[in-house]
């Protein structure tokens, strides 16, 4: 989850920097006077529960935010992304403010993430205290309020607000009305004396058991600290005769159990408790009677989700990643329209079966991951480098055929009557599999709510919803196979089909580009920051080998020898990105003069690798020499500090350091012996293991 939060934070920062309204929104709105201030997507105002405050007394004021539909602001712990509102006061002498209080939050799902916050309208109470020495008379409260308001994008806001009050001994009682009065009733309270909460911490879950003396039917937990729970994970509940039991997934980044768990235990939109309880290590087995409540504010029922999934599956056929497969399949049906209707229907049913089996496999893996403690959603396969490699390579090879490099008769889509007869039902089945595979990067309208609901339900309901999604995806071709006369709506076969094949190839090549981007992103945080580029280069090497395999098939078509050669070449190409030996290399720290000085002051020898991504010799030396087991062993054995001076982009500090050893380019390798007054040892540009090992042995002895 730390990675997820880091990524979401970076995306949030990008949204703030590049959203077209961000620069305007960073300007302060309001002049500090009383009354509401209109900002982008919300209205902000300071209000109070009484017009005056007594000397030595208290008064509740608050920041009230009224939001446009589907926009939200955040709770104290924002969840997977976001920041809570803040208020900075400028108050008259003798007037002090307490901390801003937060009413009961709600869970706000956003894709695979979960935010904690508020929609529609929310007030954040603050208690003011007047010193007994404050003189009666009018006073003005001045405040700067900051917030982050989000929907699909996030926009920071800042307002200069004000509130006029009177200091008077004859102060009327507070009137708990309006948004501020309601918010005060929604501040989580301590557990009542007759209630008891226990927290059991296991390997994967916290189990919170609340005893209230009566059966409870709903509960949610909001941690006050980040990185304690998996925010987006479902929170199954088990109603008890005298309370409720809530199971909360531990964050993957929480390696050891905390001594206490602090947060808000929510029973309803109006009842919640601020709890801090000791965590007792132990395991409590999940109950078969546990249920998962629907997402907050969701009106989705099981039947609604099934209907949405079916309609979403139909619309999914129009997505760029799926439509070419469906259209080519329709053309195959057009060319095969002379066959018996029974035969065409059978192919339609087998195609549908291929889609359903593929969806069932995906759901089975999803449920297995969920049972094992992992969180995954639609398209989770795209988080796997192996799956991405195979998917990108398969689509690339298929696109080569569509582009005309070689002819496999469009076997993957069973186009052509002759090929359909040869492949039979196997071709139709695997066309359904292909349609499902290429659909995984897409999400059609209506799918989001259905899938989000499905993944939070028991296995049977999850399977039913995904089955409806598969049936929706299969429905257009299935209907055409049962009503071949409708194929008259399609254009007649002709030379245009070859042009359409090539246009389709462009679409698939574009899909491959996106998949390569996703593949590289999986490694973007690798050591030295270059793993993503390196792995993308390997995948492109795979594509080169696939192109050669396609050329072999096109040069010598319909020969077993060329087919076998193409298979071997393609297998070799796939091995390039898929085979990755276990990386046992040591960690290189970024070069800086400070890091060099600290290492030498601590008595450590230092090895500096002056390198750059565009330096081919650097990459060869690194792969063949610096990462070799013998060299790595000597680095580790002699406690050598490894610094990498990355000169991919101009760095004046690295340039100065190169000049200090009479070098002006890369590769350059330098060993600094441990004694501070020792002369650095500059190695040759082209390394061998013997050169490095000999230099280390000599310099370590100094």
């Amino acid at each position: 989850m730390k990675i997820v939060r880091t990524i979401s934070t970076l995306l949030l920062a990008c949204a703030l920097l590049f959203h077209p309204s961000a620069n305007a929104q960073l300007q302060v709105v309001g002049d500090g006077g009383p009354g509401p201030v209109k900002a982008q997507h919300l209205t902000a105002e300071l209000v109070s529960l009484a017009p005056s405050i007594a000397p030595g007394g208290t008064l509740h004021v608050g920041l009230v935010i009224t939001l446009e539909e589907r926009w939200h602001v955040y709770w104290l712990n924002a969840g997977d992304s976001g920041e809570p509102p803040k208020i900075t006061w400028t108050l008259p002498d003798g007037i002090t403010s307490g901390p801003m209080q937060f009413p009961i939050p709600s869970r706000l799902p956003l894709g695979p993430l979960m935010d904690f916050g508020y929609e529609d309208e929310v007030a954040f109470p603050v208690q003011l205290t007047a010193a007994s020495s404050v003189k009666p008379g009018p006073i003005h409260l001045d405040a700067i309020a900051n917030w982050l308001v989000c929907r699909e994008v996030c926009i920071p806001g800042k307002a200069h607000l004000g509130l006029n009050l009177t200091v008077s001994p004859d102060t009327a009682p507070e009137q708990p009305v309006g948004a501020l009065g309601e918010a005060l009733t929604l501040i989580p309270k301590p557990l009542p004396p007759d209630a008891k909460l226990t927290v059991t911490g296991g390997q994967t879950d916290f189990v919170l058991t609340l005893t209230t003396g009566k059966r409870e039917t709903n509960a949610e937990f909001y941690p006050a600290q980040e990185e304690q729970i998996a925010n987006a994970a479902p929170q199954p509940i088990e109603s008890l005769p005298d309370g409720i039991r809530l199971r909360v997934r531990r964050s993957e980044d929480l390696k050891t159990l905390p001594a206490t768990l602090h947060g808000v235990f929510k029973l309803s939109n109006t009842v919640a408790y601020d709890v801090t309880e000791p965590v007792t290590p132990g395991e409590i087995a999940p109950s078969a009677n546990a249920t998962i409540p629907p997402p907050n504010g969701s009106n989705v029922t099981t039947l609604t989700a099934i209907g949405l999934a079916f309609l979403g599956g139909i619309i999914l056929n129009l997505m760029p990643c799926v439509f070419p497969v469906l259209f080519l399949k329709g053309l195959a049906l057009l060319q095969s329209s002379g066959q018996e209707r029974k035969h065409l229907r059978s192919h339609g049913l087998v195609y549908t079966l291929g889609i359903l089996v593929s969806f069932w496999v995906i759901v089975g893996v999803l449920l297995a991951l969920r049972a094992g403690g992992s969180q995954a959603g639609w398209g989770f396969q795209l988080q796997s480098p192996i799956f991405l490699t195979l998917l990108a390579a398969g689509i690339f090879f298929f696109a080569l055929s569509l582009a005309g490099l070689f002819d496999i008769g469009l076997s993957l889509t069973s186009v052509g009557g002759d090929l359909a007869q040869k492949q039979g039902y196997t071709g139709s089945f695997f066309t359904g599999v292909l349609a499902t595979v290429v659909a995984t990067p897409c999400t059609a309208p209506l799918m989001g709510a259905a899938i989000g609901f499905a993944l939070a339900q028991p296995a049977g309901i999850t399977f039913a919803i995904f089955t409806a999604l598969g049936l929706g995806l299969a429905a257009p071709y299935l209907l055409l196979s049962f009503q071949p006369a409708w194929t008259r709506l399609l254009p007649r076969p002709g030379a245009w089909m070859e042009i359409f094949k090539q246009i389709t190839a462009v679409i698939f090549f574009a899909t491959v580009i996106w998949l390569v981007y996703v593949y590289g992103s999986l490694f973007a945080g690798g050591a030295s920051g270059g793993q993503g580029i390196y792995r993308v280069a390997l995948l492109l090497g795979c594509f080169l080998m696939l192109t050669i395999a396609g050329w072999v098939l096109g040069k010598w078509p319909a020969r077993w020898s060329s087919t076998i050669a193409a298979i071997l070449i393609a297998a070799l190409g796939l091995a390039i990105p898929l085979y990755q030996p276990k990386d046992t290399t040591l960690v290189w720290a970024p070069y800086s003069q400070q890091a060099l000085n600290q290492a030498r002051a601590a008595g450590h020898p230092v090895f500096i690798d002056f390198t750059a991504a565009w330096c081919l010799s650097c990459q060869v030396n690194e792969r063949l020499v610096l990462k070799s087991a013998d060299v790595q062993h000597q680095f580790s054995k002699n406690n050598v500090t490894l610094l990498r001076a990355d000169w991919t982009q101009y760095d004046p500090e690295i340039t100065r350091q190169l000049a200090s050893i009479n070098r002006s380019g890369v590769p350059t390798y330098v060993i600094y012996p441990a004694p501070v007054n020792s002369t650095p040892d500059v190695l040759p540009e082209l390394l061998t293991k013997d050169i490095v090992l000999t230099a280390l042995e000599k310099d370590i002895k100094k």
Side-chain angles (χ1 to χ4, degrees), residues 340-462:
E340 294 183 5
R341 179 169 295 188
K342 178 181 178 181
H343 183 73
L344 296 177
R345 290 176 178 177
S346 298
H347 275 281
L349 290 172
V350 173
Y351 168 78
T352 302
L353 181 62
I355 290 179
L356 292 179
V357 169
S358 301
F359 271 98
W360 292 337
V361 170
I362 292 174
V363 176
V365 175
L366 279 170
L367 295 177
L369 289 173
R370 189 170 75 184
S374 300
Q375 300 302 315
W378 173 253
F380 74 98
Q381 312 93 305
L382 300 180
Q383 298 168 350
S384 165
I386 295 176
F387 179 85
L388 278 172
T389 297
L390 297 176
L391 178 60
I395 293 178
F396 180 79
F397 195 66
F398 180 48
L400 289 176
S401 173
L402 293 177
L405 182 63
F406 64 97
D407 184 13
I408 56 173
L410 299 179
S411 60
L412 291 177
T413 51
S414 300
V415 172
D418 181 63
L419 183 64
Q421 293 174 2
K422 291 181 180 179
Q423 284 205 330
Y425 297 127
T426 302
S428 293
F429 180 87
F430 281 102
T431 303
V433 174
L434 174 67
T436 305
V437 169
V438 299
T440 55
C442 296
T443 300
L446 307 180
M447 277 178 57
I451 291 176
F453 178 85
L455 296 178
Q457 301 307 310
I461 296 177
T462 303

Side-chain angles (χ1 to χ4, degrees), residues 491-627:
R492 295 292 95 187
W496 68 268
M497 293 177 60
E498 189 65 26
I499 298 176
F500 181 80
K501 283 171 50 182
Q502 296 166 357
I503 295 175
T504 302
V506 173
I507 297 175
F508 278 128
F509 281 132
T511 302
V512 170
I513 292 173
W514 179 76
L515 290 173
V516 171
Y517 164 77
V518 176
Y519 179 84
S521 299
L522 295 181
F523 304 96
S528 76
Q531 277 295 303
I533 298 173
Y534 171 65
R535 297 296 291 262
V536 165
L538 295 181
L539 186 57
L540 294 178
C542 169
F543 293 164
L544 175 61
M545 298 299 290
L546 292 177
T547 304
I548 296 173
W551 176 81
V552 170
L553 289 176
K555 184 67 174 177
W556 298 282
R559 293 185 183 179
W560 276 108
S561 56
S562 62
T563 301
I564 294 174
I567 291 174
L568 293 176
I569 295 172
L572 179 60
L574 288 171
I576 294 175
L578 290 179
Y579 174 71
Q580 289 296 321
K582 184 178 180 181
D583 189 1
T584 59
T585 56
L586 302 175
V587 176
W588 293 73
Y591 166 80
S592 69
Q593 187 63 47
Q594 181 182 6
L596 174 60
N597 294 340
Q598 288 178 347
R600 301 192 74 187
H604 295 168
V606 180
F607 187 100
I608 303 180
D609 173 14
F610 292 88
T611 185
W614 37 260
C615 170
L616 184 59
S617 299
C618 301
Q619 310 309 318
V620 173
N621 287 337
E622 179 182 344
R623 301 287 188 271
L624 299 182
V625 179
L626 298 183
K627 284 190 174 183

Side-chain angles (χ1 to χ4, degrees), residues 612-644:
W614 37 260
C615 170
L616 184 59
S617 299
C618 301
Q619 310 309 318
V620 173
N621 287 337
E622 179 182 344
R623 301 287 188 271
L624 299 182
V625 179
L626 298 183
K627 284 190 174 183
S628 66
D630 293 341
V631 173
Q632 290 283 306
H633 175 71
Q634 289 301 316
F635 282 154
S636 177
K637 176 183 176 181
N638 295 290
N639 200 20
V640 178
T641 297
L642 303 177
L643 300 179
R644 177 158 286 144

